[in-house]
Amino acid sequence: MYKLGDVLEHVGREVKFGFSNHLFLGAFLIFVVFLGTFGIWFSPAYDDSEKFFIDAFDKVGMLTYCAPLLSVTIFDASLRAIITLHKKENAAESGLYAWGAFLTIALIVFVAISLANAPRDVFSFWSLSAGFLSIFYWFVVNASNDSYKKPTNNSSPSGRGVDDSNMLLSGGKKK
């Protein structure tokens, strides 16, 4: 059975892996951080209100960001966990997923409490903590996702991805 220290060690490995995978890090920064918060940071520029830019990251702004991000991440992680457990039927892995489910529930409770305590129409550290936890959760859950890995040629000595520009020019067909 996994202990909390083992789970936190696993989370640390996922964070290291996420920062070492440049394709994943680029997708994370562009799509989740920049484009994901587009509606929040664009609204003060679009409105002619006297509000400060950072005040757009208030309770409502962060709720409109955190709720969809968490729901899609939890749905995706749950499907991958069910498929993995169904294929492997490994008792040790199910213990890790049980801890993941527990920490997910704790995260949702903390995000809900943070957003409930955040004041409306003004930036606060409650809304910042809810947004940070949502982004961190997405990062940890998706860091080892195969969709964000560059295909590698296992026969190459370095194990690095092969960038064959001839394949790009010929439409994916090897010459």
Side-chain angles (χ1 to χ4, degrees):
M1 187 70 184
Y2 285 96
K3 297 177 194 160
L4 182 59
D6 297 334
V7 174
L8 293 178
E9 183 180 323
H10 176 73
V11 168
R13 281 194 310 266
E14 292 294 318
V15 169
K16 281 183 193 175
F17 183 72
F19 279 112
S20 67
N21 184 348
H22 299 293
L23 179 64
F24 170 77
L25 197 58
F28 168 72
L29 291 174
I30 292 170
F31 294 109
V32 176
V33 176
F34 182 69
L35 291 177
T37 59
F38 182 77
I40 299 171
W41 58 262
F42 182 72
S43 63
Y46 183 71
D47 293 341
D48 289 334
S49 64
E50 300 288 324
K51 237 164 78 161
F52 288 113
F53 171 75
I54 198 157
D55 288 337
F57 290 86
D58 65 340
K59 175 190 281 194
V60 176
M62 291 311 289
L63 178 65
T64 61
Y65 177 68
C66 294
L69 182 66
L70 284 175
S71 63
V72 168
T73 306
I74 291 169
F75 177 74
D76 181 48
S78 300
L79 283 180
R80 282 190 281 144
I82 290 169
I83 290 169
T84 302
L85 288 174
H86 182 67
K87 284 182 180 178
K88 292 184 179 177
E89 297 178 10
N90 188 353
E93 190 122 345
S94 64
L96 182 64
Y97 286 123
W99 270 105
F102 172 74
L103 292 175
T104 299
I105 292 169
L107 174 101
I108 291 171
V109 167
F110 190 79
V111 167
I113 290 170
S114 295
L115 290 173
N117 286 328
R120 190 180 172 117
D121 293 331
V122 69
F123 171 77
S124 72
F125 287 103
W126 285 107
S127 58
L128 180 68
S129 67
F132 175 75
L133 284 173
S134 300
I135 289 172
F136 181 74
Y137 182 74
W138 187 94
F139 190 91
V140 169
V141 166
N142 290 305
S144 61
N145 191 342
D146 291 336
S147 300
Y148 301 106
K149 293 180 184 172
K150 185 175 181 180
T152 59
N153 185 356
N154 293 333
S155 63
S156 66
S158 64
R160 293 184 173 203
V162 178
D163 184 17
D164 191 356
S165 57
N166 291 331
M167 283 179 60
L168 291 173
L169 294 173
S170 66
K173 299 174 187 168
K174 286 193 173 186
K175 290 184 178 181

